[in-house]
């Protein structure tokens, strides 16, 4: 699975490369805030907020073609929904790593 599936991302925006570039720039600017929301929810052991913050991040990642990262966000969302937050830190670490790799990958595309 690709870090950045540009074909999928372009389909999401009907092939509008300018729009995709704008969305990618916005994500680069906001990804730390999105990750922090998930991190803080986990630290607070707040299952409902883990679910919501992971869902929000998952949607952004999936829309932009970051399927590997979005899969980890989905796992966290499900754990939050199930109120099973034991051992979610490793999943968050993987989400954070994949998201940062995605941001590095899209840096050229979003300029």
């Amino acid at each position: 699975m690709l870090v950045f599936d540009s074909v999928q991302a372009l389909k999401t925006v009907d092939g509008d490369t300018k729009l995709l570039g704008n969305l990618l720039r916005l994500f680069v600017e906001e990804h730390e805030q999105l990750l922090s929301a998930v991190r803080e929810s986990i630290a607070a052991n707040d299952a409902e907020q883990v679910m919501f913050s992971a869902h929000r991040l998952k949607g952004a990642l999936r829309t932009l073609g970051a399927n590997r990262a979005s899969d980890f966000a989905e796992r966290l969302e499900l754990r939050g929904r199930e109120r099973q937050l034991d051992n979610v830190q490793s999943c968050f670490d993987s989400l954070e790593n994949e998201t940062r790799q995605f941001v590095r990958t899209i840096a050229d595309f979003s300029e």
Side-chain angles (χ1 to χ4, degrees):
M1 190 179 308
L2 300 170
V3 171
F4 173 44
D5 185 341
S6 60
V7 173
Q8 176 189 331
L10 281 167
K11 283 181 184 177
T12 301
V13 295
D14 295 326
D16 187 336
T17 56
K18 185 175 180 178
L19 175 58
L20 180 57
N22 288 337
L23 291 173
L24 292 171
R25 269 190 297 283
L26 183 61
F27 185 81
V28 168
E29 292 171 8
E30 294 187 358
H31 78 280
E32 287 295 340
Q33 182 180 6
L34 294 168
L35 284 169
S36 290
V38 178
R39 183 184 306 108
E40 291 167 10
S41 299
I42 291 170
N45 203 35
D46 186 335
E48 186 173 359
Q49 284 305 309
V50 169
M51 180 182 68
F52 287 128
S53 59
H55 176 80
R56 182 174 178 214
L57 183 54
K58 176 192 76 174
L61 290 164
R62 190 146 301 151
T63 297
L64 297 174
N67 295 326
R68 287 184 353 200
S70 70
D71 286 349
F72 286 109
E74 183 174 37
R75 289 178 199 164
L76 286 170
E77 177 187 6
L78 293 173
R79 295 293 296 272
R81 180 176 294 125
E82 295 167 352
R83 300 197 180 286
Q84 297 294 321
L85 298 184
D86 297 337
N87 302 314
V88 295
Q89 187 61 49
S90 65
C91 187
F92 175 77
D93 292 344
S94 295
L95 169 63
E96 187 172 40
N97 290 335
E98 288 293 332
T99 300
R100 292 187 196 294
Q101 187 174 355
F102 171 66
V103 168
R104 285 189 301 273
T105 300
I106 63 171
D108 292 335
F109 195 92
S110 65
E111 290 181 354

